[in-house]
Amino acid sequence: ASRFRLPHLTDIFPDATSIPSTFCLRMRTPVTGDFADGYPSDEKWHGYINNRDRVLLKTIHYSSPTSAGAVCIDPDCTWVEQWVHRAGPREEIYFKPEEVKAAIVTCGGLCPGLNDVIRQIVITLEIYGVTKIVGIPFGYRGFTDKELTEMPLSRKVVQNVHLSGGSLLGVSRGAPGISEIVDSMEERDINILFVLGGNGTHAGANAIHDECRRRKLKVAVVGVPKTIDNDILLMDKTFGFDTAVEEAQRAINSAYIEAHSAFHGIGVVKLMGRSSGFIAMHASLASGQIDICLIPEVPFHLHGPHGVLGHLKYLIETKGSAVICVAEGAGQNLVEQTNAKDASGNVVLGDIGVRIQQEIKKYFKEIGVPADVKYIDPTYMIRACRANATDGILCTVLGQNAVHGAFAGFSGITVGICNTHYVYFPIPEVISYPRAVDPNSRMWHRCLTSTGQPDFI
Ligand code: ATP
Ligand code: MG
């Protein structure tokens, strides 16, 4: 069985000693000082996670021994198990809480739940006994921009921040160099850094972790994956995704009502998903109002006998209206490529939603069939939402586990949920490429069954 190796600060400081955890799993009742539910005091620390506790990530069966790689259990060498470390509080911790200065930074785009994670990190740090907690404003930029000052954080400051969307700290794209960030961390005496962001942010976090090791700094860098697109490898799902799908349904429902109430109405809804169509697929499945779902992983034609437009004509003739859901990264071969990049170096995508809307109008005009086309892009309305109940809980657990991971002495790790259990991953394992919808998966075929759409190739 293979197991991901989690980088730990003892890798660079082998002689470091750990101290008993001060993290209290049971709340004392304020009146008596006893434990609320009457457990004997020797059980007061029950519930700690052992560093050897692990969760089965996957069992892979290989068709031949040669493709199985190095780590095998079976004598025929045809299957491999991968395990990941369980997240949670450790009985022994690496940092003395009074010596900790913790910082939180949020980068990239907005995602529902950012404030929930920030809040929970602060609350959990305080329970460990940390008093120096700061927020770095506007992403990595806040480390070096002299106009921006760090924000002191406490339970009082964050108490109600989860009631609104966005990020209390602000976000940004683009960044100063890694060594300037680490210089700034040294200046500020930061020894625990929590980084909330997507693939790009995690690449940055891993580089900061490497630079801290190179400089022999006792600094723990812990990520919390923030991607509304749900495109991080190995995780069941990431926070904000559930809220996004729920909110996307409102836009789809509006598009449906508009289309259904118009003569030959056609609604086009563009949803997030630069390289992964999870939101579009799940929103289509959830709403039941989508006739055509288009995602980046599945190529399609607009024109021709098997094109989207021909199918739309059929839908208009047979049911009078239609709704299309398209992920922003879908059909990029059909839109003009500008080669433009954003501040973080991400390619600026062409607008497939507008393109489809224009093509539909043109097509129906050409064939002499009236059509009433309406286009909805709810992206920013969805991203700015506050987290729903499911995401609120996920954010709470991830935030707590991020703090437990840092206190345990791990660095260069990120938190996630895997086969319903909460775990730690080494950052490079989850960001090597974006997770995508498998066009051969059951889920995509379920989506096709529910929309009734044919292959558009
Ligand atoms: P989103 O899901 O919103 O795209 P993201 O984390 O991928 O989130 P980016 O704008 O790509 O968002 O990156 C966020 C920050 O990480 C930026 O400040 C960017 O400069 C930095 N960054 C991106 N890629 C790298 C990298 N390979 N190495 C170091 N830093 C990076
Ligand atoms: Mg990104």
Short mmCIF file of all heavy atoms in Angstrom, two decimals, residues 87 120 391-402 404 415 422:
data_model
loop_
_atom_site.label_atom_id
_atom_site.label_comp_id
_atom_site.label_asym_id
_atom_site.label_seq_id
_atom_site.Cartn_x
_atom_site.Cartn_y
_atom_site.Cartn_z
N ALA A 87 -7.15 14.00 9.00
CA ALA A 87 -6.98 15.33 9.58
C ALA A 87 -7.55 15.32 11.00
O ALA A 87 -8.35 14.47 11.34
CB ALA A 87 -7.72 16.35 8.73
N GLN A 120 -13.50 30.31 11.12
CA GLN A 120 -13.23 29.09 11.88
C GLN A 120 -11.74 28.94 12.20
O GLN A 120 -11.39 28.44 13.25
CB GLN A 120 -13.74 27.87 11.10
CG GLN A 120 -14.06 26.68 11.96
CD GLN A 120 -15.05 26.98 13.08
OE1 GLN A 120 -14.89 26.49 14.18
NE2 GLN A 120 -16.07 27.81 12.82
N ASP A 391 -22.24 23.80 2.81
CA ASP A 391 -20.91 24.40 2.67
C ASP A 391 -20.44 25.03 3.98
O ASP A 391 -19.25 25.02 4.28
CB ASP A 391 -20.90 25.44 1.55
CG ASP A 391 -20.64 24.79 0.19
OD1 ASP A 391 -19.95 23.76 0.16
OD2 ASP A 391 -21.16 25.31 -0.82
N GLY A 392 -21.39 25.59 4.74
CA GLY A 392 -21.04 26.19 6.04
C GLY A 392 -20.37 25.16 6.94
O GLY A 392 -19.37 25.44 7.59
N ILE A 393 -20.92 23.96 6.95
CA ILE A 393 -20.36 22.89 7.78
C ILE A 393 -18.99 22.46 7.23
O ILE A 393 -18.02 22.32 7.97
CB ILE A 393 -21.32 21.67 7.86
CG1 ILE A 393 -22.61 22.09 8.55
CG2 ILE A 393 -20.65 20.50 8.57
CD1 ILE A 393 -23.72 21.05 8.46
N LEU A 394 -18.92 22.28 5.90
CA LEU A 394 -17.66 21.89 5.28
C LEU A 394 -16.56 22.91 5.60
O LEU A 394 -15.44 22.54 6.01
CB LEU A 394 -17.86 21.76 3.76
CG LEU A 394 -16.65 21.38 2.92
CD1 LEU A 394 -16.04 20.05 3.38
CD2 LEU A 394 -17.02 21.27 1.44
N CYS A 395 -16.88 24.20 5.47
CA CYS A 395 -15.91 25.26 5.76
C CYS A 395 -15.46 25.21 7.21
O CYS A 395 -14.28 25.41 7.51
CB CYS A 395 -16.52 26.64 5.50
SG CYS A 395 -16.81 26.96 3.77
N THR A 396 -16.38 24.95 8.10
CA THR A 396 -16.07 24.89 9.52
C THR A 396 -15.07 23.77 9.80
O THR A 396 -14.05 23.98 10.47
CB THR A 396 -17.37 24.67 10.33
OG1 THR A 396 -18.23 25.79 10.08
CG2 THR A 396 -17.10 24.56 11.81
N VAL A 397 -15.33 22.60 9.24
CA VAL A 397 -14.44 21.46 9.49
C VAL A 397 -13.08 21.71 8.83
O VAL A 397 -12.02 21.45 9.43
CB VAL A 397 -15.07 20.15 8.98
CG1 VAL A 397 -14.14 18.97 9.27
CG2 VAL A 397 -16.43 19.92 9.63
N LEU A 398 -13.08 22.23 7.60
CA LEU A 398 -11.81 22.49 6.91
C LEU A 398 -10.97 23.52 7.67
O LEU A 398 -9.76 23.36 7.82
CB LEU A 398 -12.05 22.96 5.47
CG LEU A 398 -12.70 21.95 4.52
CD1 LEU A 398 -12.97 22.60 3.16
CD2 LEU A 398 -11.86 20.70 4.35
N GLY A 399 -11.64 24.57 8.13
CA GLY A 399 -10.95 25.63 8.88
C GLY A 399 -10.31 25.06 10.15
O GLY A 399 -9.14 25.32 10.46
N GLN A 400 -11.07 24.27 10.89
CA GLN A 400 -10.54 23.67 12.11
C GLN A 400 -9.35 22.75 11.79
O GLN A 400 -8.32 22.79 12.46
CB GLN A 400 -11.62 22.85 12.83
CG GLN A 400 -12.73 23.72 13.41
CD GLN A 400 -13.79 22.91 14.16
OE1 GLN A 400 -13.69 21.70 14.29
NE2 GLN A 400 -14.80 23.61 14.64
N ASN A 401 -9.52 21.94 10.75
CA ASN A 401 -8.46 20.98 10.41
C ASN A 401 -7.19 21.67 9.90
O ASN A 401 -6.09 21.16 10.09
CB ASN A 401 -8.96 19.96 9.39
CG ASN A 401 -9.81 18.89 10.06
OD1 ASN A 401 -9.66 18.64 11.25
ND2 ASN A 401 -10.70 18.29 9.31
N ALA A 402 -7.37 22.81 9.25
CA ALA A 402 -6.19 23.56 8.80
C ALA A 402 -5.35 23.94 10.03
O ALA A 402 -4.12 23.79 10.04
CB ALA A 402 -6.61 24.80 8.02
N HIS A 404 -5.42 22.48 13.06
CA HIS A 404 -4.84 21.26 13.66
C HIS A 404 -3.60 20.80 12.89
O HIS A 404 -2.62 20.38 13.50
CB HIS A 404 -5.87 20.12 13.65
CG HIS A 404 -7.09 20.38 14.50
ND1 HIS A 404 -7.01 20.94 15.75
CD2 HIS A 404 -8.42 20.14 14.27
CE1 HIS A 404 -8.24 21.04 16.27
NE2 HIS A 404 -9.11 20.56 15.38
N VAL A 415 -5.98 20.82 3.15
CA VAL A 415 -7.02 20.02 3.79
C VAL A 415 -8.11 19.67 2.79
O VAL A 415 -8.33 20.40 1.82
CB VAL A 415 -7.64 20.76 4.99
CG1 VAL A 415 -6.63 20.97 6.09
CG2 VAL A 415 -8.26 22.09 4.58
N TYR A 422 -12.23 13.47 6.53
CA TYR A 422 -11.41 14.68 6.39
C TYR A 422 -9.94 14.30 6.48
O TYR A 422 -9.55 13.54 7.38
CB TYR A 422 -11.80 15.71 7.46
CG TYR A 422 -13.20 16.20 7.23
CD1 TYR A 422 -14.29 15.60 7.85
CD2 TYR A 422 -13.46 17.22 6.32
CE1 TYR A 422 -15.58 16.01 7.60
CE2 TYR A 422 -14.74 17.64 6.06
CZ TYR A 422 -15.81 17.03 6.69
OH TYR A 422 -17.08 17.44 6.43
#
